[in-house]
Structure formats: C-alpha cells, structure tokens
Amino acid sequence: MHTGEIGYTTVSDLDLRHARVWTCGTTHTTARYCPLDDPWSIRVLRLRADCLVKQSSAAGSETLATTAGSPAYRRQASVCTAFGEIIRSGGIAAEGHSAAPRDVSSWLAAKVFEQTGQIADVALRFGLSSLDGAARLAGYQWRPSVEEADT
C-alpha cells in the first residue's frame, strides 16, 4: 500500500479471513487487494477494526488510520509522519538520515522481486502500470545505462 491509499482504508476494506486489504488506488496506482503477510498485522488490524466499530454507528465506513473528514493532503501527511517515526524507531533508517515511506516500499519491492524473479509481480503488488517504474522501485536495472552500453 502507498501512503496515499492508507488514509482512505476503511474497516470494510479489510478481508481478514483471506489475509488481505482492499486499496482504493491513487492517480499513479491501481486499486487492488494487498496481502497481509504476517499474523501480527492481522491481529492488530482486527483489534483496531473492532475498536472502531464499537465506537461508531457507521458500520464499516470508519477509516483505520486517519480521520475520515480530513482533506487528502492532511491524511497523507499524517500517514507519512507516522511512517517516518516507525522507520526511525525500528532502525530501518540510519541515525541522522531522513526516512521516507519509499524506503520501505523499495525494500519490499526488492524482496518481492527476489522471491519471484518477476518485475510484473512487483508491479501487481504495488498497483503500478509501468514495468520500468516497478523495476526502479525494486532497484533493478534491466536496461544498461548509456555509460555501460558505450563500454
């Protein structure tokens, strides 16, 4: 999932039985199901969803990570701030360096590519329509650079 999608994810988007979540897509990504890969994330999302449903009368339409009435830029900024804190406190970013959600996306894209050997799988996982974009995200250069081609 991308930060632009996380702020719009609702309780009804969760499909915990099949360990996945529906994402709405963005201007650069396609709407799709994203897998929930570990039991911990499923447990935490189930607890969050249960809490929201108990506190609300609008069954299933509650957003999981942001306030539903917030403008798009504020939702994404909130998600990015939280991501940055998680990345820094989790030791993903080196001390003194800035951390961005894209760091996690690149890491996951490389992992998907390593596991499957397919750039198309990276594109599907991230909702990307460009295989070149998926390759860049995974850190894979499938075409030699101009400098390499000249040697």
Side-chain angles (χ1 to χ4, degrees):
M1 285 182 95
H2 298 275
T3 56
E5 298 167 317
I6 292 171
Y8 289 92
T9 305
T10 66
V11 171
S12 61
D13 292 328
L14 291 175
D15 180 359
L16 298 177
R17 182 172 169 232
H18 294 103
R20 62 187 186 172
V21 61
W22 178 254
T23 64
C24 61
T26 65
T27 55
H28 300 290
T29 61
T30 311
R32 68 210 175 279
Y33 277 106
C34 291
L36 299 171
D37 292 334
D38 67 53
W40 181 86
S41 64
I42 294 168
R43 182 174 164 266
V44 169
L45 287 169
R46 179 175 283 120
L47 290 170
R48 176 71 176 147
D50 289 347
C51 178
L52 289 170
V53 169
K54 286 177 188 173
Q55 294 177 354
S56 176
S57 60
S61 64
E62 304 83 2
T63 53
L64 292 166
T66 61
T67 304
S70 297
Y73 74 90
R74 185 165 291 149
R75 290 181 193 212
Q76 187 166 6
S78 295
V79 170
C80 286
T81 299
F83 242 92
E85 290 299 317
I86 292 167
I87 291 168
R88 281 186 290 284
S89 67
I92 295 170
E95 194 167 324
H97 290 85
S98 63
R102 187 156 183 93
D103 298 333
V104 175
S105 296
S106 295
W107 173 83
L108 181 58
K111 182 178 172 184
V112 169
F113 182 59
E114 180 182 307
Q115 290 173 343
T116 69
Q118 300 292 317
I119 289 298
D121 289 337
V122 174
L124 285 171
R125 177 74 178 257
F126 287 88
L128 301 171
S129 59
S130 165
L131 292 178
D132 289 329
R136 275 191 304 278
L137 185 62
Y140 179 70
Q141 183 179 4
W142 57 5
R143 296 180 188 163
S145 67
V146 175
E147 297 84 32
E148 292 174 12
D150 290 339
T151 57

